[in-house]
Amino acid sequence: MKMKTVFLNSAKVDFDQKLDYSKFEEATEFTKYDDTVTDEQILERVQGQEVVITKEMSIGRDLILKFPASVKLICEAGTGFNNIDLDAAKQKNIAVCNVPSYSTESVGHLAITFVLMLSASLHLQQKMLDKGNYDNFSKYLQVPHYEVLGKNLGVIGGGAIGRQTIKAGLALGMNVLICDPFPQPWGDAAVQYVQLEELLKNSDFISLHCPLMPSTKHIINKETLNLVKPSAYLVNTSRGPLVNEADLVEALKTGKLAGAALDVQEVEPATPDNPLFHLDNVIMTPHIGWRRFESRQRLFNLVADNITAFSQGKPVNIVN
């Protein structure tokens, strides 16, 4: 028997209305809403449902404790699940699952795209053109321009996306320093596991790929930024609060850090008054790493697969 399933904010993923819902419709008794804003709406729409699908919605303790007994599974349509109160879900005997692998390639590729853009100062060149400055075409090159071959790529977090980023870095001839509590063999002399301090001191590019938890919040801060080389660049395609943005702005303004590329921000969506928007040595994108069409369709399909597996008592990526 198909499980009754509600997707509370499908437009967060299907924002262009191009995705195929057939797997949901085959696997479940399916209802979707483009968006669900208030707690009252959530409670109304989960009534009688067995599976609740959300994408980066805040589902707190008080709300979960009011969920009807019919709810057996909350599916986070994404990797991070810090927005769901796992203790409350466990108390209500509601399983929580996520989809950690749907955007591995696309996010890893974005991180390396940022590395290449920063090394070639493409963002600075484009900003010059936007201001009508064509000096790069008529004079000697006015911006820094470096090879990544032989440079040190520091990866904080050696999970699936971190590993994808490492593979791309190795293909470009980079040396890799990894900080992760669970070292895995690479069989490549260009890869070394090191402590955080050593990584920060020796990396030319620092790429963040760790989950957001109390121990990693603001892992990039004034103290850790003081360890990096002034010529180094920071890349964050993971979670915005891994970085203390006020400390980052100061480092970027004072030359303690050469530049940064940020697909995530400490507060999302970032508002126009965020000072990072107004720094020439910063690339900002609106959390696009997971938003490629193929990644989003894969996400839908994997969520549907999770629900089918759960209904059949088969293994699912349960996080609580």
Side-chain angles (χ1 to χ4, degrees):
M1 187 173 178
K2 294 181 178 180
M3 298 189 79
K4 295 189 69 174
T5 299
V6 60
F7 198 153
L8 293 177
N9 60 336
S10 62
K12 182 82 173 182
V13 181
D14 189 23
F15 48 80
D16 52 4
Q17 299 184 346
K18 292 184 177 180
L19 298 183
D20 180 3
Y21 289 82
S22 60
K23 263 208 166 185
F24 283 123
E25 293 161 353
E26 292 168 5
T28 71
E29 187 177 330
F30 184 61
T31 304
K32 72 178 179 70
Y33 298 93
D34 285 346
D35 198 11
T36 302
V37 179
T38 66
D39 287 357
E40 290 74 18
Q41 282 183 319
I42 293 173
L43 291 174
E44 178 184 344
R45 293 172 178 179
V46 302
Q47 294 301 315
Q49 302 293 330
E50 296 168 278
V51 180
V52 177
I53 307 171
T54 66
K55 175 63 175 173
E56 297 173 1
M57 287 182 65
S58 178
I59 308 293
R61 178 177 180 80
D62 292 344
L63 187 60
I64 289 177
L65 293 179
K66 294 176 183 176
F67 273 21
S70 61
V71 176
K72 303 301 181 186
L73 177 68
I74 299 173
C75 287
E76 168 57 35
T79 303
F81 48 86
N82 52 288
N83 51 304
I84 300 171
D85 192 304
L86 300 183
D87 290 336
K90 188 172 184 179
Q91 185 176 333
K92 289 283 289 187
N93 200 29
I94 300 172
V96 178
C97 70
N98 68 337
V99 185
S101 60
Y102 77 100
S103 63
T104 298
E105 290 79 9
S106 61
V107 178
H109 292 169
L110 179 62
I112 287 296
T113 297
F114 281 152
V115 168
L116 293 171
M117 290 180 68
L118 290 166
S119 69
S121 297
L122 294 185
H123 58 302
L124 295 178
Q125 295 187 56
Q126 188 59 52
K127 287 182 178 182
M128 290 173 69
L129 291 177
D130 291 343
K131 296 174 182 177
N133 183 342
Y134 304 100
D135 284 353
N136 286 324
F137 292 84
S138 58
K139 302 176 182 178
Y140 291 114
L141 193 63
Q142 307 290 301
V143 296
H145 196 56
Y146 304 111
E147 291 185 355
V148 298
L149 178 67
K151 298 297 191 300
N152 290 341
L153 172 64
V155 175
I156 301 176
I161 296 174
R163 290 196 298 272
Q164 185 65 42
T165 305
I166 290 166
K167 290 177 183 177
L170 290 173
L172 293 170
M174 303 185 78
N175 303 309
V176 178
L177 305 175
I178 313 173
C179 178
D180 189 274
F182 306 104
Q184 299 182 27
W186 276 86
D188 192 316
V191 178
Q192 298 180 61
Y193 279 88
V194 298
Q195 296 300 311
L196 179 62
E197 181 174 343
E198 184 178 348
L199 183 149
L200 294 170
K201 287 181 176 179
N202 293 289
S203 295
D204 299 297
F205 299 89
I206 299 164
S207 192
L208 303 182
H209 298 286
C210 47
L212 176 62
M213 56 184 71
S215 61
T216 60
K217 183 177 181 180
H218 289 177
I219 193 171
I220 300 299
N221 55 53
K222 186 172 185 177
E223 181 179 351
T224 54
L225 285 166
N226 281 335
L227 298 174
V228 304
K229 299 186 290 187
S231 59
Y233 295 91
L234 175 71
V235 173
N236 189 8
T237 57
S238 185
R239 289 290 180 264
L242 296 175
V243 178
N244 182 314
E245 285 191 357
D247 292 348
L248 176 62
V249 169
E250 180 184 357
L252 291 164
K253 284 183 173 179
T254 58
K256 291 181 179 179
L257 188 69
L262 310 170
D263 187 44
V264 289
Q265 291 80 44
E266 194 165 5
V267 176
E268 294 181 4
T271 56
D273 61 349
N274 188 318
L276 289 166
F277 277 125
H278 308 291
L279 296 178
D280 284 342
N281 54 349
V282 176
I283 300 170
M284 294 271 278
T285 52
H287 207 154
I288 62 171
W290 64 272
R291 298 192 194 207
R292 301 176 199 259
F293 172 80
E294 296 86 353
S295 300
R296 292 182 289 124
Q297 186 63 61
R298 187 181 303 117
L299 173 61
F300 267 20
N301 295 343
L302 289 172
V303 171
D305 289 345
N306 276 348
I307 296 169
T308 298
F310 182 82
S311 69
Q312 297 173 352
K314 295 179 180 178
V316 182
N317 196 63
I318 302 296
V319 296
N320 70 329

